[in-house]
Short mmCIF file of all heavy atoms in Angstrom, two decimals:
data_model
loop_
_atom_site.label_atom_id
_atom_site.label_comp_id
_atom_site.label_asym_id
_atom_site.label_seq_id
_atom_site.Cartn_x
_atom_site.Cartn_y
_atom_site.Cartn_z
N MET M 1 150.36 72.92 50.91
CA MET M 1 149.43 71.84 51.11
C MET M 1 150.23 70.59 51.62
O MET M 1 149.76 69.82 52.47
CB MET M 1 148.68 71.45 49.89
CG MET M 1 147.68 70.43 50.23
SD MET M 1 146.51 69.78 48.97
CE MET M 1 146.23 70.95 47.75
N LEU M 2 151.41 70.33 51.09
CA LEU M 2 152.24 69.20 51.52
C LEU M 2 152.56 69.31 52.96
O LEU M 2 152.54 68.28 53.74
CB LEU M 2 153.48 69.09 50.66
CG LEU M 2 154.39 67.88 50.93
CD1 LEU M 2 153.61 66.59 50.75
CD2 LEU M 2 155.55 67.90 50.02
N LYS M 3 152.96 70.53 53.47
CA LYS M 3 153.31 70.67 54.86
C LYS M 3 152.12 70.38 55.74
O LYS M 3 152.30 69.78 56.79
CB LYS M 3 153.85 72.07 55.10
CG LYS M 3 155.17 72.33 54.54
CD LYS M 3 155.66 73.76 54.89
CE LYS M 3 157.04 73.99 54.29
NZ LYS M 3 157.52 75.35 54.61
N THR M 4 150.95 70.81 55.33
CA THR M 4 149.77 70.58 56.10
C THR M 4 149.46 69.07 56.19
O THR M 4 149.18 68.56 57.29
CB THR M 4 148.50 71.30 55.46
OG1 THR M 4 148.84 72.67 55.40
CG2 THR M 4 147.25 71.09 56.32
N ARG M 5 149.63 68.39 55.07
CA ARG M 5 149.41 66.92 55.08
C ARG M 5 150.44 66.24 55.94
O ARG M 5 150.10 65.29 56.69
CB ARG M 5 149.48 66.42 53.60
CG ARG M 5 149.21 64.93 53.55
CD ARG M 5 149.12 64.47 52.13
NE ARG M 5 148.82 63.07 52.12
CZ ARG M 5 149.15 62.26 51.13
NH1 ARG M 5 149.73 62.69 50.06
NH2 ARG M 5 148.81 61.02 51.16
N ILE M 6 151.65 66.62 55.88
CA ILE M 6 152.72 66.03 56.69
C ILE M 6 152.36 66.22 58.18
O ILE M 6 152.54 65.30 58.99
CB ILE M 6 154.09 66.56 56.31
CG1 ILE M 6 154.48 66.06 54.92
CG2 ILE M 6 155.13 66.16 57.33
CD1 ILE M 6 155.72 66.73 54.37
N ARG M 7 151.98 67.42 58.56
CA ARG M 7 151.60 67.70 59.94
C ARG M 7 150.46 66.87 60.40
O ARG M 7 150.43 66.33 61.51
CB ARG M 7 151.30 69.19 60.11
CG ARG M 7 152.49 70.07 60.24
CD ARG M 7 152.12 71.48 60.63
NE ARG M 7 153.07 72.36 60.01
CZ ARG M 7 152.76 73.44 59.34
NH1 ARG M 7 151.49 73.86 59.23
NH2 ARG M 7 153.66 74.20 58.77
N ARG M 8 149.42 66.76 59.54
CA ARG M 8 148.25 65.97 59.86
C ARG M 8 148.62 64.48 60.04
O ARG M 8 148.23 63.86 61.03
CB ARG M 8 147.17 66.11 58.76
CG ARG M 8 145.91 65.33 59.04
CD ARG M 8 144.82 65.50 58.02
NE ARG M 8 145.27 65.43 56.66
CZ ARG M 8 145.41 64.30 55.95
NH1 ARG M 8 145.13 63.15 56.45
NH2 ARG M 8 145.84 64.40 54.72
N LEU M 9 149.42 63.94 59.11
CA LEU M 9 149.83 62.52 59.26
C LEU M 9 150.70 62.34 60.50
O LEU M 9 150.57 61.29 61.14
CB LEU M 9 150.61 62.12 58.00
CG LEU M 9 149.73 61.98 56.71
CD1 LEU M 9 150.63 61.72 55.49
CD2 LEU M 9 148.65 60.92 56.86
N SER M 10 151.56 63.28 60.78
CA SER M 10 152.39 63.21 62.00
C SER M 10 151.51 63.19 63.25
O SER M 10 151.77 62.40 64.15
CB SER M 10 153.36 64.35 62.02
OG SER M 10 154.11 64.31 63.19
N HIS M 11 150.51 64.07 63.27
CA HIS M 11 149.63 64.13 64.39
C HIS M 11 148.85 62.84 64.54
O HIS M 11 148.63 62.26 65.67
CB HIS M 11 148.63 65.29 64.27
CG HIS M 11 147.59 65.36 65.30
ND1 HIS M 11 147.89 65.68 66.64
CD2 HIS M 11 146.26 65.08 65.32
CE1 HIS M 11 146.82 65.64 67.36
NE2 HIS M 11 145.81 65.29 66.57
N GLN M 12 148.34 62.23 63.44
CA GLN M 12 147.62 60.99 63.50
C GLN M 12 148.52 59.83 63.98
O GLN M 12 148.13 59.01 64.77
CB GLN M 12 147.13 60.61 62.06
CG GLN M 12 145.92 61.45 61.64
CD GLN M 12 145.52 61.22 60.19
OE1 GLN M 12 146.28 60.59 59.44
NE2 GLN M 12 144.30 61.58 59.88
N ARG M 13 149.83 59.82 63.52
CA ARG M 13 150.76 58.84 63.99
C ARG M 13 150.97 58.94 65.48
O ARG M 13 150.95 57.96 66.22
CB ARG M 13 152.06 58.94 63.21
CG ARG M 13 153.10 57.87 63.60
CD ARG M 13 154.44 58.21 63.11
NE ARG M 13 154.98 59.36 63.81
CZ ARG M 13 155.48 60.42 63.20
NH1 ARG M 13 155.58 60.50 61.94
NH2 ARG M 13 155.91 61.46 63.92
N ASP M 14 151.18 60.15 65.96
CA ASP M 14 151.42 60.38 67.38
C ASP M 14 150.20 60.02 68.21
O ASP M 14 150.28 59.40 69.28
CB ASP M 14 151.77 61.87 67.64
CG ASP M 14 153.14 62.21 67.03
OD1 ASP M 14 153.91 61.30 66.69
OD2 ASP M 14 153.41 63.43 66.95
N SER M 15 149.03 60.33 67.72
CA SER M 15 147.82 60.02 68.44
C SER M 15 147.61 58.52 68.49
O SER M 15 147.23 57.96 69.55
CB SER M 15 146.59 60.65 67.71
OG SER M 15 145.41 60.30 68.35
N ALA M 16 147.89 57.81 67.41
CA ALA M 16 147.76 56.33 67.39
C ALA M 16 148.75 55.72 68.35
O ALA M 16 148.42 54.73 69.10
CB ALA M 16 147.97 55.82 65.96
N ALA M 17 149.92 56.20 68.38
CA ALA M 17 150.95 55.73 69.34
C ALA M 17 150.51 55.96 70.79
O ALA M 17 150.71 55.03 71.65
CB ALA M 17 152.30 56.36 69.05
N GLU M 18 149.96 57.05 71.06
CA GLU M 18 149.48 57.37 72.43
C GLU M 18 148.35 56.42 72.84
O GLU M 18 148.28 55.95 73.92
CB GLU M 18 149.01 58.81 72.57
CG GLU M 18 150.11 59.84 72.54
CD GLU M 18 149.66 61.26 72.51
OE1 GLU M 18 148.44 61.50 72.68
OE2 GLU M 18 150.49 62.19 72.35
N GLN M 19 147.40 56.17 71.85
CA GLN M 19 146.31 55.23 72.14
C GLN M 19 146.81 53.84 72.37
O GLN M 19 146.32 53.18 73.29
CB GLN M 19 145.32 55.32 70.98
CG GLN M 19 144.51 56.56 70.89
CD GLN M 19 143.67 56.60 69.67
OE1 GLN M 19 143.79 55.81 68.69
NE2 GLN M 19 142.67 57.56 69.64
N LEU M 20 147.75 53.40 71.58
CA LEU M 20 148.29 52.04 71.76
C LEU M 20 148.98 51.92 73.09
O LEU M 20 148.83 50.93 73.85
CB LEU M 20 149.31 51.69 70.66
CG LEU M 20 149.95 50.31 70.75
CD1 LEU M 20 148.91 49.21 70.75
CD2 LEU M 20 150.95 50.15 69.60
N THR M 21 149.73 52.92 73.48
CA THR M 21 150.37 52.93 74.80
C THR M 21 149.34 52.91 75.96
O THR M 21 149.49 52.13 76.95
CB THR M 21 151.27 54.15 74.96
OG1 THR M 21 152.25 54.18 73.96
CG2 THR M 21 151.95 54.23 76.34
N ALA M 22 148.23 53.60 75.77
CA ALA M 22 147.16 53.58 76.81
C ALA M 22 146.50 52.19 76.85
O ALA M 22 146.19 51.71 77.94
CB ALA M 22 146.16 54.69 76.51
N ILE M 23 146.28 51.61 75.70
CA ILE M 23 145.69 50.26 75.69
C ILE M 23 146.57 49.23 76.36
O ILE M 23 146.13 48.47 77.19
CB ILE M 23 145.40 49.87 74.21
CG1 ILE M 23 144.24 50.75 73.70
CG2 ILE M 23 145.03 48.36 74.10
CD1 ILE M 23 144.02 50.58 72.18
N GLU M 24 147.86 49.31 76.04
CA GLU M 24 148.81 48.39 76.65
C GLU M 24 148.86 48.58 78.15
O GLU M 24 148.92 47.61 78.93
CB GLU M 24 150.19 48.58 76.08
CG GLU M 24 150.31 48.02 74.63
CD GLU M 24 151.62 48.35 73.98
OE1 GLU M 24 152.36 49.24 74.41
OE2 GLU M 24 151.98 47.64 73.00
N ALA M 25 148.85 49.84 78.63
CA ALA M 25 148.91 50.13 80.05
C ALA M 25 147.60 49.60 80.69
O ALA M 25 147.72 49.10 81.85
CB ALA M 25 149.01 51.62 80.29
N SER M 26 146.50 49.74 80.07
CA SER M 26 145.22 49.21 80.61
C SER M 26 145.25 47.69 80.75
O SER M 26 144.79 47.15 81.75
CB SER M 26 144.05 49.62 79.69
OG SER M 26 143.92 50.95 79.59
N ILE M 27 145.85 46.97 79.78
CA ILE M 27 145.95 45.53 79.89
C ILE M 27 146.91 45.18 80.98
O ILE M 27 146.62 44.22 81.75
CB ILE M 27 146.35 44.97 78.54
CG1 ILE M 27 145.21 45.15 77.50
CG2 ILE M 27 146.72 43.47 78.64
CD1 ILE M 27 145.58 44.80 76.10
N VAL M 28 148.01 45.83 81.12
CA VAL M 28 148.96 45.53 82.17
C VAL M 28 148.32 45.77 83.55
O VAL M 28 148.67 45.05 84.53
CB VAL M 28 150.27 46.40 82.02
CG1 VAL M 28 151.13 46.32 83.19
CG2 VAL M 28 150.99 45.94 80.76
N ALA M 29 147.42 46.71 83.68
CA ALA M 29 146.82 47.05 84.95
C ALA M 29 145.71 46.10 85.32
O ALA M 29 145.27 46.16 86.51
CB ALA M 29 146.28 48.50 84.88
N LEU M 30 145.25 45.23 84.45
CA LEU M 30 144.23 44.31 84.76
C LEU M 30 144.68 43.30 85.84
O LEU M 30 145.83 42.90 85.93
CB LEU M 30 143.84 43.47 83.53
CG LEU M 30 143.10 44.20 82.40
CD1 LEU M 30 142.95 43.30 81.19
CD2 LEU M 30 141.74 44.71 82.92
N ASP M 31 143.67 42.91 86.63
CA ASP M 31 143.94 41.84 87.61
C ASP M 31 144.10 40.52 86.83
O ASP M 31 143.68 40.44 85.68
CB ASP M 31 142.79 41.69 88.59
CG ASP M 31 142.63 42.87 89.52
OD1 ASP M 31 143.65 43.49 89.81
OD2 ASP M 31 141.48 43.17 89.92
N ASP M 32 144.66 39.51 87.47
CA ASP M 32 144.91 38.26 86.78
C ASP M 32 143.67 37.65 86.17
O ASP M 32 143.64 37.21 85.03
CB ASP M 32 145.55 37.22 87.72
CG ASP M 32 146.98 37.55 88.10
OD1 ASP M 32 147.57 38.45 87.45
OD2 ASP M 32 147.53 36.90 88.96
N GLU M 33 142.56 37.67 86.93
CA GLU M 33 141.27 37.11 86.42
C GLU M 33 140.75 37.82 85.24
O GLU M 33 140.28 37.24 84.28
CB GLU M 33 140.25 37.09 87.56
CG GLU M 33 140.54 36.08 88.67
CD GLU M 33 140.51 34.66 88.18
OE1 GLU M 33 139.60 34.31 87.32
OE2 GLU M 33 141.35 33.86 88.59
N ASP M 34 140.85 39.11 85.27
CA ASP M 34 140.38 39.95 84.14
C ASP M 34 141.26 39.76 82.90
O ASP M 34 140.78 39.72 81.80
CB ASP M 34 140.35 41.45 84.57
CG ASP M 34 139.27 41.74 85.56
OD1 ASP M 34 138.29 40.97 85.63
OD2 ASP M 34 139.45 42.68 86.37
N LEU M 35 142.58 39.64 83.18
CA LEU M 35 143.46 39.37 82.06
C LEU M 35 143.14 38.04 81.39
O LEU M 35 143.15 37.86 80.18
CB LEU M 35 144.92 39.42 82.51
CG LEU M 35 145.98 39.06 81.46
CD1 LEU M 35 145.94 40.06 80.33
CD2 LEU M 35 147.41 39.11 82.13
N LEU M 36 142.90 37.02 82.25
CA LEU M 36 142.51 35.72 81.74
C LEU M 36 141.22 35.77 80.93
O LEU M 36 141.05 35.12 79.88
CB LEU M 36 142.44 34.63 82.82
CG LEU M 36 143.77 34.29 83.47
CD1 LEU M 36 143.54 33.54 84.75
CD2 LEU M 36 144.63 33.51 82.50
N ASP M 37 140.26 36.56 81.45
CA ASP M 37 138.99 36.74 80.67
C ASP M 37 139.26 37.34 79.30
O ASP M 37 138.72 36.95 78.29
CB ASP M 37 137.98 37.61 81.48
CG ASP M 37 137.44 36.88 82.71
OD1 ASP M 37 137.57 35.63 82.77
OD2 ASP M 37 136.92 37.62 83.58
N LEU M 38 140.11 38.38 79.27
CA LEU M 38 140.42 39.06 78.02
C LEU M 38 141.09 38.10 77.03
O LEU M 38 140.71 38.03 75.87
CB LEU M 38 141.31 40.25 78.26
CG LEU M 38 141.73 41.06 77.00
CD1 LEU M 38 140.48 41.73 76.42
CD2 LEU M 38 142.77 42.08 77.35
N ALA M 39 142.06 37.35 77.54
CA ALA M 39 142.72 36.38 76.71
C ALA M 39 141.73 35.30 76.16
O ALA M 39 141.85 34.90 75.04
CB ALA M 39 143.89 35.72 77.47
N ASP M 40 140.78 34.92 77.03
CA ASP M 40 139.86 33.92 76.63
C ASP M 40 138.90 34.41 75.51
O ASP M 40 138.57 33.73 74.60
CB ASP M 40 139.02 33.49 77.86
CG ASP M 40 138.22 32.25 77.55
OD1 ASP M 40 138.69 31.36 76.81
OD2 ASP M 40 137.06 32.18 78.12
N ILE M 41 138.57 35.73 75.62
CA ILE M 41 137.71 36.36 74.60
C ILE M 41 138.41 36.31 73.20
O ILE M 41 137.75 36.06 72.22
CB ILE M 41 137.34 37.79 75.00
CG1 ILE M 41 136.42 37.79 76.20
CG2 ILE M 41 136.74 38.57 73.83
CD1 ILE M 41 136.26 39.15 76.88
N PHE M 42 139.69 36.57 73.21
CA PHE M 42 140.43 36.61 71.97
C PHE M 42 141.12 35.37 71.60
O PHE M 42 141.97 35.32 70.69
CB PHE M 42 141.42 37.79 72.01
CG PHE M 42 140.78 39.15 71.91
CD1 PHE M 42 140.52 39.89 73.04
CD2 PHE M 42 140.41 39.64 70.68
CE1 PHE M 42 139.89 41.08 72.97
CE2 PHE M 42 139.80 40.86 70.56
CZ PHE M 42 139.50 41.61 71.72
N ARG M 43 140.83 34.27 72.28
CA ARG M 43 141.51 32.96 72.06
C ARG M 43 141.36 32.54 70.61
O ARG M 43 142.31 32.06 69.98
CB ARG M 43 140.97 31.90 72.99
CG ARG M 43 141.59 30.53 72.74
CD ARG M 43 140.93 29.51 73.55
NE ARG M 43 141.42 29.52 74.88
CZ ARG M 43 141.17 28.65 75.83
NH1 ARG M 43 140.41 27.55 75.55
NH2 ARG M 43 141.66 28.74 77.03
N ALA M 44 140.18 32.67 70.09
CA ALA M 44 139.93 32.25 68.67
C ALA M 44 140.62 33.10 67.62
O ALA M 44 140.84 32.69 66.49
CB ALA M 44 138.42 32.21 68.39
N ARG M 45 141.00 34.33 67.99
CA ARG M 45 141.65 35.24 67.12
C ARG M 45 143.02 35.61 67.68
O ARG M 45 143.29 36.79 67.96
CB ARG M 45 140.82 36.50 66.93
CG ARG M 45 139.50 36.19 66.30
CD ARG M 45 138.66 37.49 66.13
NE ARG M 45 137.25 37.17 66.18
CZ ARG M 45 136.44 37.48 67.11
NH1 ARG M 45 136.84 38.20 68.15
NH2 ARG M 45 135.20 37.11 67.09
N ALA M 46 143.88 34.66 67.82
CA ALA M 46 145.15 34.79 68.50
C ALA M 46 146.12 35.75 67.77
O ALA M 46 147.07 36.19 68.40
CB ALA M 46 145.80 33.44 68.66
N GLU M 47 145.86 36.03 66.54
CA GLU M 47 146.78 36.91 65.79
C GLU M 47 146.47 38.41 65.90
O GLU M 47 147.15 39.28 65.38
CB GLU M 47 146.84 36.51 64.33
CG GLU M 47 145.58 36.85 63.52
CD GLU M 47 144.40 35.95 63.80
OE1 GLU M 47 144.50 34.87 64.39
OE2 GLU M 47 143.30 36.32 63.44
N THR M 48 145.37 38.74 66.57
CA THR M 48 144.98 40.14 66.72
C THR M 48 145.90 40.84 67.70
O THR M 48 146.45 40.25 68.61
CB THR M 48 143.52 40.26 67.19
OG1 THR M 48 143.38 39.74 68.49
CG2 THR M 48 142.58 39.59 66.21
N PRO M 49 146.04 42.15 67.54
CA PRO M 49 146.96 42.86 68.47
C PRO M 49 146.54 42.75 69.92
O PRO M 49 147.40 42.62 70.81
CB PRO M 49 146.82 44.34 68.02
CG PRO M 49 146.43 44.20 66.56
CD PRO M 49 145.63 42.99 66.48
N LEU M 50 145.26 42.83 70.25
CA LEU M 50 144.87 42.69 71.65
C LEU M 50 145.17 41.30 72.19
O LEU M 50 145.59 41.17 73.37
CB LEU M 50 143.32 42.90 71.79
CG LEU M 50 142.95 44.38 71.78
CD1 LEU M 50 141.40 44.52 71.84
CD2 LEU M 50 143.52 45.18 72.85
N ALA M 51 145.00 40.25 71.41
CA ALA M 51 145.28 38.92 71.83
C ALA M 51 146.81 38.73 72.03
O ALA M 51 147.23 38.16 73.06
CB ALA M 51 144.87 37.91 70.81
N LEU M 52 147.61 39.38 71.20
CA LEU M 52 149.04 39.32 71.34
C LEU M 52 149.55 40.03 72.59
O LEU M 52 150.42 39.55 73.30
CB LEU M 52 149.73 39.87 70.10
CG LEU M 52 149.54 39.04 68.82
CD1 LEU M 52 150.08 39.80 67.62
CD2 LEU M 52 150.14 37.64 68.95
N ILE M 53 148.98 41.22 72.84
CA ILE M 53 149.34 41.96 74.07
C ILE M 53 148.94 41.19 75.31
O ILE M 53 149.73 41.06 76.25
CB ILE M 53 148.70 43.35 74.04
CG1 ILE M 53 149.28 44.20 72.86
CG2 ILE M 53 148.97 44.08 75.32
CD1 ILE M 53 148.51 45.49 72.62
N ALA M 54 147.74 40.62 75.29
CA ALA M 54 147.27 39.89 76.45
C ALA M 54 148.12 38.62 76.70
O ALA M 54 148.48 38.33 77.79
CB ALA M 54 145.79 39.48 76.29
N ALA M 55 148.46 37.93 75.58
CA ALA M 55 149.35 36.72 75.72
C ALA M 55 150.68 37.11 76.23
O ALA M 55 151.27 36.39 77.10
CB ALA M 55 149.46 36.08 74.34
N SER M 56 151.23 38.21 75.79
CA SER M 56 152.53 38.65 76.26
C SER M 56 152.51 38.97 77.76
O SER M 56 153.41 38.56 78.51
CB SER M 56 152.99 39.90 75.51
OG SER M 56 154.14 40.43 76.00
N GLU M 57 151.44 39.59 78.22
CA GLU M 57 151.36 39.97 79.60
C GLU M 57 151.08 38.67 80.45
O GLU M 57 151.65 38.56 81.53
CB GLU M 57 150.16 40.95 79.83
CG GLU M 57 149.98 41.40 81.26
CD GLU M 57 151.21 42.10 81.85
OE1 GLU M 57 152.07 42.61 81.14
OE2 GLU M 57 151.26 42.14 83.11
N MET M 58 150.34 37.75 79.90
CA MET M 58 150.20 36.47 80.62
C MET M 58 151.48 35.73 80.78
O MET M 58 151.76 35.15 81.87
CB MET M 58 149.16 35.60 79.85
CG MET M 58 147.73 36.08 80.05
SD MET M 58 146.53 35.15 79.12
CE MET M 58 146.93 33.49 79.53
N THR M 59 152.29 35.71 79.76
CA THR M 59 153.61 35.08 79.77
C THR M 59 154.48 35.71 80.83
O THR M 59 155.12 35.06 81.60
CB THR M 59 154.30 35.12 78.38
OG1 THR M 59 153.44 34.43 77.47
CG2 THR M 59 155.65 34.50 78.44
N ARG M 60 154.43 37.07 80.84
CA ARG M 60 155.26 37.79 81.81
C ARG M 60 154.84 37.47 83.22
O ARG M 60 155.71 37.37 84.12
CB ARG M 60 155.09 39.32 81.57
CG ARG M 60 156.02 40.18 82.40
CD ARG M 60 155.78 41.64 82.20
NE ARG M 60 154.57 42.11 82.85
CZ ARG M 60 154.40 42.33 84.18
NH1 ARG M 60 155.43 42.07 85.01
NH2 ARG M 60 153.30 42.74 84.63
N ARG M 61 153.53 37.30 83.46
CA ARG M 61 153.04 36.94 84.82
C ARG M 61 153.08 35.47 85.09
O ARG M 61 152.85 35.09 86.25
CB ARG M 61 151.60 37.39 84.96
CG ARG M 61 151.39 38.93 84.88
CD ARG M 61 149.99 39.29 85.14
NE ARG M 61 149.67 40.68 84.81
CZ ARG M 61 148.50 41.23 85.06
NH1 ARG M 61 147.54 40.55 85.61
NH2 ARG M 61 148.34 42.47 84.70
N GLY M 62 153.36 34.65 84.13
CA GLY M 62 153.40 33.22 84.34
C GLY M 62 151.97 32.60 84.42
O GLY M 62 151.79 31.60 85.09
N LEU M 63 151.00 33.21 83.71
CA LEU M 63 149.67 32.73 83.70
C LEU M 63 149.39 31.88 82.45
O LEU M 63 149.94 32.10 81.44
CB LEU M 63 148.67 33.84 83.75
CG LEU M 63 148.72 34.80 84.94
CD1 LEU M 63 147.76 35.99 84.72
CD2 LEU M 63 148.37 34.09 86.23
N ARG M 64 148.41 30.96 82.54
CA ARG M 64 148.00 30.15 81.42
C ARG M 64 146.50 30.00 81.43
O ARG M 64 145.88 30.02 82.52
CB ARG M 64 148.56 28.74 81.43
CG ARG M 64 150.04 28.77 81.23
CD ARG M 64 150.57 27.32 81.32
NE ARG M 64 152.04 27.34 81.21
CZ ARG M 64 152.72 26.46 80.56
NH1 ARG M 64 152.12 25.47 79.92
NH2 ARG M 64 154.01 26.58 80.48
N LEU M 65 145.93 29.90 80.26
CA LEU M 65 144.46 29.66 80.18
C LEU M 65 144.12 28.22 80.51
O LEU M 65 144.81 27.33 80.32
CB LEU M 65 143.92 29.92 78.76
CG LEU M 65 143.76 31.39 78.43
CD1 LEU M 65 143.31 31.60 76.99
CD2 LEU M 65 142.69 32.03 79.33
#
């Protein structure tokens, strides 16, 4: 039973990592206007993962709200 649980947890971890990578890639692929819209949506919740990723991408591109 322990091996099954370890495999399941490993699969969940891998799946979560793949989803996060896909989300980050989607944000990077946004046009500047869409990125600014996303950042504006999450402005009030700046500590959320999506807001942090959007802010990081905006910094990389030299964009500001």
Side-chain angles (χ1 to χ4, degrees):
M1 185 181 331
L2 183 58
K3 287 182 182 181
T4 303
R5 183 175 182 203
I6 290 171
R7 280 189 212 133
R8 180 176 46 84
L9 291 174
S10 177
H11 176 69
Q12 288 174 343
R13 183 193 68 230
D14 294 344
S15 178
E18 288 174 9
Q19 289 175 345
L20 179 58
T21 300
I23 290 167
E24 289 174 339
S26 297
I27 292 173
V28 169
L30 290 173
D31 292 332
D32 288 350
E33 289 296 320
D34 293 333
L35 178 60
L36 290 169
D37 289 342
L38 179 67
D40 193 36
I41 290 168
F42 286 98
R43 178 187 281 190
R45 297 180 209 111
E47 72 284 346
T48 63
L50 283 176
L52 294 172
I53 295 168
S56 174
E57 182 61 20
M58 286 176 51
T59 300
R60 188 184 73 76
R61 294 185 193 186
L63 300 174
R64 293 180 185 218
L65 282 175

